């Protein structure tokens, strides 16, 4: 058995993030290994879907000559806190900020790997303390004639905040 995996007769699960060092109350629900903070905290999904940009990316010389098309998807789990207050945009995470930030990162010079671009985008998203989890997908669209896309999807968490 791999370290950290928990297995019973029918199910193998990965350990959930340890939230004991956060400022959230830590009590387990009776009969489960799940802290009730995982169930009691309300999350909102904020997303940017299928954003297509030109960016300088790739390890090969021919990839460094001209920008390539990439498709970016961001999916964030955001703590709601007190929720939307007075229909005021300043009380929520703005997807416009995500789009503008993504454009800035993609225009910020050459990166060799889609993994590097994905990490930069994840860092941008996790800079907001309300973001608990982000899934970033970066796809290069024009690498192979017979393949619609190649790329990477990463998941990162803000558990220490």
């Amino acid at each position: 058995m791999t370290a950290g995996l928990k297995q019973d007769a029918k199910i193998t699960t990965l350990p959930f993030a340890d939230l004991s060092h956060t400022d959230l109350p830590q009590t387990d629900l009776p009969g489960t290994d799940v802290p009730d903070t995982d169930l009691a905290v309300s999350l909102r999904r904020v997303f940017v879907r299928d954003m297509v940009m030109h960016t300088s990316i790739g390890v090969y010389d021919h990839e460094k000559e001209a920008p390539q098309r990439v498709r970016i998807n961001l999916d964030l789990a955001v703590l709601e806190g007190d929720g939307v207050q007075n229909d005021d945009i300043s009380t929520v995470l703005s997807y416009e900020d995500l789009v503008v930030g993504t454009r800035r990162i993609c225009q910020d010079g050459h990166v060799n790997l889609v993994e590097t671009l994905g990490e930069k985008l994840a860092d941008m998203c996790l800079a907001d303390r309300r973001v608990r989890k982000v899934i970033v997908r970066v796809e290069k669209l024009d690498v192979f004639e017979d393949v619609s896309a190649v790329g990477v999807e990463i998941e990162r968490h803000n558990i220490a905040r």
Side-chain angles (χ1 to χ4, degrees):
M1 178 72 46
T2 303
L5 289 178
K6 182 177 173 183
Q7 184 170 10
D8 66 20
K10 298 177 185 168
I11 300 171
T12 301
T13 58
L14 293 170
F16 195 76
D18 175 16
L19 297 176
S20 62
H21 55 280
T22 67
D23 56 359
L24 298 173
Q26 295 294 309
T27 57
D28 289 339
L29 294 175
T32 72
D33 294 328
V34 179
D36 68 3
T37 56
D38 296 338
L39 300 176
V41 174
S42 294
L43 296 173
R44 175 177 288 117
R45 299 299 290 263
V46 178
F47 60 88
V48 175
R49 293 270 193 291
D50 298 329
M51 183 175 180
V52 177
M53 306 233 5
H54 285 85
T55 191
S56 181
I57 190 167
V59 296
Y60 299 110
D61 289 340
H62 70 275
E63 293 179 301
K64 296 175 182 176
E65 294 172 5
Q68 297 183 63
R69 284 187 325 134
V70 295
R71 179 173 38 231
I72 295 170
N73 286 277
L74 307 174
D75 191 345
L76 293 76
V78 181
L79 283 175
E80 286 192 322
D82 294 331
V84 179
Q85 299 170 11
N86 300 320
D87 201 26
D88 182 359
I89 193 170
S90 70
T91 65
V92 297
L93 180 69
S94 169
Y95 48 80
E96 181 181 11
D97 293 342
L98 297 173
V99 169
V100 170
T102 299
R103 288 179 182 144
R104 181 186 49 76
I105 289 169
C106 286
Q107 296 167 355
D108 197 30
H110 184 84
V111 295
N112 287 327
L113 304 173
V114 290
E115 290 86 353
T116 303
L117 181 56
E119 294 292 345
K120 288 181 176 189
L121 293 167
D123 288 346
M124 172 197 68
C125 295
L126 294 172
D128 188 310
R129 294 175 51 99
R130 297 171 292 182
V131 177
R132 286 296 174 240
K133 178 178 90 170
V134 62
I135 298 172
V136 177
R137 177 181 288 212
V138 178
E139 301 170 275
K140 292 169 71 173
L141 302 178
D142 302 315
V143 175
F144 301 103
E145 189 173 305
D146 59 342
V147 177
S148 65
V150 294
V152 66
E153 181 174 280
I154 64 171
E155 180 175 320
R156 299 293 178 263
H157 298 263
N158 238 353
I159 58 175
R161 294 180 180 211

